[in-house]
């Protein structure tokens, strides 16, 4: 299937959480990861004639994210120690092989799962991701120990991951559970 | 707390992302990921969820910020529907194109419009191929108001409308660069989106804009440090300094804290700098810094590969990026020149200009209009009345920029940035020129002399626009009659009739060098 600009953007949109997540690991910063993802998306559009098909595109995107992300990290976070190139490449392979539900389904499932979280967990995630606060800042704001904030965030991640996986599996089996 | 079932302590992932792990701890994490496929899979899953969660909460925060006076929608389905509806409304503002067949046929278009029209007429070319909305070509004003008798007023009035424009006299003096533009504070408005065509912005660009209450459509304000990715279509951005930048998707730009500079990360743009304040527009790219000294140029950045600069009109200075000033290469480019700088060696090589790969507006040359750059009451030395119904005048009569007479017209102020109405020196010829007292001359003829520079005229066309209450009996360029222009509209506040037409150059008599235009106005 020939690669067209529309297909490229469609793949980028569908895989956005995965691609952004990967860029986040590479760059160490979610906003920097967004910028790198945008630049790589543009580069893909410019190099469309060199990309053979969708599988090729997936691998190409991750490799480009790794390279551009590392360059951006060196420029913006010069002092931060990073994972090895070998591990980043291995992570890219894992992600490319990962089956993904459509982005819209993931988002819908996630929102339902967030609904199921406890209020404190939801509020903590809102401070972490909505307000871009670090755990230490959240701890100071809420009067809780930093360790407790870390625990709440990681437990929330685990709960959401399991919940989303279950919901998407339910969708595959036969219908999205809106309950 | 570490999940006993999971191979990886997710707190370590969080700490790594925050940059709070020591070198030894990062190395330890690296070993675990390298040796345990399950840990690697866990990292991939965690990052995907974190990215989704981050996006979700960022959207909620953005929504709250832009709808703080509205009831918060706790129902997420309703939230999604509301967001979708707003996005759809934003998309609906995107306009469609109707091709201008003449512009499509011609490789170049020589516009006889005021420089202000540049934003509007080059805009006209751009918009004509983009917008389905009615677009009134404004103000190349060629207007001579002749007041003959109290009972017989006729004003050739093109106030804020258009008329044949003439180029300014060629000037051997170097064009001065506008004074350094004020550097605005971060997050201040530095530009506006002034037109779009099938523009598609990246989701991140839309999200960030939405956080400011912007939909990235025509009229949207842009701020210092804004980073925008246009994945398809085109967008016209006008800076506070008056520079017009036509971004061609896919492309990515970053606004700066200056209102006359930006960074082009990737893609193509056309820069149009025809106002004094916009000259000196600085376009930074990964490989070159490009300073425009006036008029039109195109820039093409291929990520990681090269930057090209193609100058259609005017001059630019291109400078490579190097560690030291001594290592930097500088090149001065003039019309019909192009260069490329490579990412690897930062050298500059000359290449053949290729204007076809840029938006057609790059190849438009505008001629300034009557009264341009003049204040109300100032004489326009480019225009004179040289004849009336009785024949040539022994002494040409000077014209000046018209004052606004609110008794007869809507009170519209004069604008030095536009072509403006012209009038007899004192407005009342029967006092200054007794030969007209009590007489009704059937016509007057205005003449102007202008220069056309060495732009390519082959396959070019001349676009003329004017509006008048009097009617134009004839229009000649270098003695050659130009076929009457088609009426576009009439009536309106000043009861003007607007005419426009695009003619192949060979039908107009236009040539390189000095040209003479004569307009015979009828006294209705």
């Amino acid at each position: 299937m020939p690669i067209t600009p529309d297909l490229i953007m469609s793949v980028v949109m569908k895989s956005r959480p995965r691609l952004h997540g990967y860029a986040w690991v590479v760059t160490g910063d979610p906003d920097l990861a967004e910028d790198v993802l945008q630049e790589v998306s543009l580069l893909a559009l410019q190099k469309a004639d060199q990309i053979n098909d969708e599988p090729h595109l997936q691998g190409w995107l991750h490799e480009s994210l790794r390279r551009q992300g590392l360059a951006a990290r060196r420029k913006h976070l010069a002092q931060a120690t990073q994972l090895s190139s070998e591990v980043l490449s291995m992570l890219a392979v894992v992600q490319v092989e990962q089956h993904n539900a459509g982005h819209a389904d993931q988002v819908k499932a996630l929102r339902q799962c967030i609904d199921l979280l406890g209020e404190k967990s939801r509020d903590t995630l809102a401070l972490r991701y909505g307000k871009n606060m670090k755990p230490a800042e959240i701890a100071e704001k809420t009067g809780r120990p930093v360790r407790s904030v870390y625990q709440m965030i990681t437990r929330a991640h685990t709960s959401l991951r399991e919940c989303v996986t279950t919901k998407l599996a339910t969708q595959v089996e036969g219908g999205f559970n809106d309950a | 707390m570490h999940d006993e079932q999971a191979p990886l302590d997710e707190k370590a992932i969080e700490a790594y992302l925050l940059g709070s792990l020591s070198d030894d701890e990062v190395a330890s994490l690296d070993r675990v990921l390298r040796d345990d496929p399950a840990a690697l899979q866990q990292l991939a899953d965690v990052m995907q969820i974190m990215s989704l969660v981050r996006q979700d909460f960022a959207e909620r925060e953005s929504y709250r910020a832009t709808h703080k006076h509205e009831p918060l929608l706790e129902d997420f389905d309703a939230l999604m529907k509301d967001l979708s509806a707003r996005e759809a409304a934003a998309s609906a503002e995107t306009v469609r194109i109707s091709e201008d067949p003449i512009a499509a046929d011609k490789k170049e278009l020589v516009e006889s419009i005021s420089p202000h029209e540049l934003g509007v007429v080059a805009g006209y070319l751009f918009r004509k191929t983009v917008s389905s909305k009615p677009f009134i070509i404004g103000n190349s004003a060629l207007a001579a108001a002749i007041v003959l008798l109290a009972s017989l007023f006729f004003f050739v009035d093109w106030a804020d409308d258009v008329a044949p424009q003439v180029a300014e006299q060629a000037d051997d003096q170097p064009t001065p660069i506008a004074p350094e533009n004020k550097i605005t504070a971060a997050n201040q408005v530095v530009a506006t989106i002034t037109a779009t065509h099938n523009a598609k912005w990246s989701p991140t660009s839309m999200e960030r804009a939405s956080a400011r209450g912007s939909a990235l459509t025509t009229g949207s304000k842009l701020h210092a440090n804004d980073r925008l990715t246009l994945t398809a279509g085109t967008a016209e951005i006008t800076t506070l300094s008056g520079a017009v930048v036509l971004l061609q998707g896919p492309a990515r730009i970053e606004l700066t804290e200056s209102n006359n500079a930006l960074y082009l990360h990737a893609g193509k743009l056309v820069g149009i700098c025809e106002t004094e304040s916009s000259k000196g527009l600085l376009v930074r790219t990964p490989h070159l810094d490009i300073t425009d000294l006036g008029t039109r140029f195109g820039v093409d950045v291929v990520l990681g590969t090269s930057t090209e600069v193609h100058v259609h009109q005017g001059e630019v200075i291109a400078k490579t990026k190097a560690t030291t000033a001594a290592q930097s290469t500088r090149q001065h480019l003039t019309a019909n020149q192009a260069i490329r700088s490579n990412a690897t060696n930062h050298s500059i090589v000359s290449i053949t200009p290729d204007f076809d790969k840029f938006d057609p507006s790059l190849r438009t040359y505008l001629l300034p209009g009557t009264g341009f750059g003049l204040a109300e009451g100032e004489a326009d030395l480019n225009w004179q009345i040289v004849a009336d119904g009785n024949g040539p005048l022994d002494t040409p009569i000077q014209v000046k920029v018209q004052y606004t007479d609110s008794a007869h017209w809507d009170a519209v102020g004069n604008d030095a940035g536009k072509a403006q109405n012209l009038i007899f020196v004192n407005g009342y010829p029967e006092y200054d020129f007794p030969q007209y007292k009590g007489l009704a001359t059937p016509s007057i003829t205005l003449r102007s002399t202008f220069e056309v520079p060495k732009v390519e005229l082959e396959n070019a066309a001349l676009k003329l626009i004017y509006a008048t209450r009097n009617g134009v009996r004839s229009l000649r360029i270098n003695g050659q009659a130009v076929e009457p222009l088609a009426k576009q509209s009439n009536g309106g506040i000043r009861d003007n009739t607007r005419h426009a037409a695009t003619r192949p150059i060979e039908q107009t008599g236009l040539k390189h060098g000095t040209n003479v235009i004569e307009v015979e106005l009828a006294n209705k």
Side-chain angles (χ1 to χ4, degrees), chain B residues 159-330:
Chain B
D160 104 293
D161 291 316
V162 298
Q165 294 299 307
V166 295
E168 291 177 351
Q169 291 291 336
D171 188 351
D172 293 334
Q173 298 299 319
T175 304
I177 299 175
E180 182 177 1
N181 286 282
K182 179 182 175 185
I183 304 297
T184 61
N187 298 321
Q188 294 300 308
V189 174
V190 293
T192 303
I193 296 176
T194 42
T196 63
H197 161 52
N198 285 349
K200 293 181 184 176
W201 303 93
S202 70
T204 301
S205 297
M206 292 297 296
E207 284 167 11
R208 287 174 176 168
S210 177
R212 289 183 188 272
S214 166
L216 292 180
T217 54
T218 300
S220 294
K221 301 297 181 189
L222 301 177
H223 301 76
N225 304 317
D226 277 354
R227 282 165 289 180
L228 301 168
T229 301
L230 184 69
T231 58
T234 52
E236 177 189 276
I237 296 168
T238 303
T239 69
L240 283 185
S241 66
V244 176
V245 174
L246 284 155
L247 195 62
Q248 300 173 229
R252 176 166 164 78
I253 61 165
E254 182 172 347
L255 284 299
T256 71
E257 294 185 12
S258 165
N259 59 15
N260 208 31
L262 57 92
Y263 195 101
L264 177 65
H265 288 269
K268 299 191 194 72
L269 66 78
V270 169
I272 300 171
C273 306
E274 297 196 355
T275 63
E276 281 305 311
S277 60
S278 67
K279 290 174 184 173
L281 171 72
L282 175 61
V283 177
R284 292 187 185 277
T285 76
H287 319 109
L288 289 173
D289 285 343
I290 302 140
T291 302
D292 176 55
L293 302 182
T295 66
R296 297 167 185 253
F297 64 103
V299 183
D300 183 6
V301 175
V302 179
L303 260 179
T305 303
S306 64
T307 296
E308 292 182 1
V309 182
H310 300 248
V311 179
H312 187 257
Q313 303 161 24
E315 307 168 65
V316 303
I317 293 176
K319 197 167 67 170
T320 59
K321 293 178 181 292
T323 308
T324 65
Q327 294 170 327
S328 175
T329 305
R330 187 175 182 274

Side-chain angles (χ1 to χ4, degrees), chain B residues 239-510:
Chain B
T239 69
L240 283 185
S241 66
V244 176
V245 174
L246 284 155
L247 195 62
Q248 300 173 229
R252 176 166 164 78
I253 61 165
E254 182 172 347
L255 284 299
T256 71
E257 294 185 12
S258 165
N259 59 15
N260 208 31
L262 57 92
Y263 195 101
L264 177 65
H265 288 269
K268 299 191 194 72
L269 66 78
V270 169
I272 300 171
C273 306
E274 297 196 355
T275 63
E276 281 305 311
S277 60
S278 67
K279 290 174 184 173
L281 171 72
L282 175 61
V283 177
R284 292 187 185 277
T285 76
H287 319 109
L288 289 173
D289 285 343
I290 302 140
T291 302
D292 176 55
L293 302 182
T295 66
R296 297 167 185 253
F297 64 103
V299 183
D300 183 6
V301 175
V302 179
L303 260 179
T305 303
S306 64
T307 296
E308 292 182 1
V309 182
H310 300 248
V311 179
H312 187 257
Q313 303 161 24
E315 307 168 65
V316 303
I317 293 176
K319 197 167 67 170
T320 59
K321 293 178 181 292
T323 308
T324 65
Q327 294 170 327
S328 175
T329 305
R330 187 175 182 274
Q331 186 148 341
H332 183 202
L333 299 170
T334 56
N336 290 316
Q337 290 185 328
I339 57 159
R340 176 189 298 127
S341 178
N342 293 316
T344 48
N345 58 14
H346 298 289
S347 62
I348 291 180
V349 295
S350 294
I351 59 175
T352 302
D354 179 9
F355 302 125
D356 286 339
K357 65 174 175 175
F358 294 98
D359 187 274
S361 61
L362 174 62
R363 303 186 296 273
T364 299
Y365 183 81
L366 294 195
L367 304 173
T370 55
F372 181 78
L374 300 174
E376 182 179 328
E378 276 192 74
D380 187 341
L381 301 179
N382 291 314
W383 285 89
Q384 294 176 323
I385 298 175
V386 297
D388 62 17
N390 298 318
L393 299 178
D394 293 332
T395 304
I397 299 174
Q398 188 55 58
V399 291
K400 68 174 185 177
V401 177
Q402 184 184 21
Y403 60 84
T404 301
D405 181 356
S406 59
H408 295 282
W409 317 107
D410 284 344
V412 177
N414 287 54
D415 184 345
K418 305 178 186 177
Q420 304 178 90
N421 295 344
L422 300 179
I423 193 173
F424 272 10
V425 174
N426 288 312
Y428 295 98
E430 65 265 33
Y431 297 111
D432 295 326
F433 309 100
Q435 66 269 33
Y436 290 124
K437 186 171 182 179
L439 298 177
T441 180
S443 68
I444 64 161
T445 299
L446 289 131
R447 177 191 293 161
S448 180
T449 303
F450 61 98
E451 297 293 316
V452 172
K454 289 185 179 178
V455 294
E456 185 182 332
L457 294 183
E458 187 180 345
N459 297 318
L462 175 67
K463 186 167 187 178
L464 291 161
I465 310 173
Y466 64 81
T468 174
R469 282 174 59 173
N470 298 73
V472 170
R473 280 188 168 186
S474 70
L475 194 156
R476 294 177 177 275
I477 297 178
N478 299 323
Q480 180 172 331
V482 178
E483 284 184 32
L485 309 187
K487 186 165 72 175
Q488 284 188 324
S489 62
N490 61 359
I493 295 167
R494 295 183 179 75
D495 197 25
N496 289 324
T497 301
R498 184 172 295 110
H499 294 71
T502 303
R503 301 270 181 263
I505 290 294
E506 56 268 22
Q507 294 181 13
T508 66
L510 199 75

Side-chain angles (χ1 to χ4, degrees), chain A residues 10 19 34 61 104 124 130 162 171 175-176:
Chain A
S10 170
L19 294 172
E34 287 282 5
L61 286 170
T124 301
E162 290 170 356
Q171 181 198 17
F176 213 102

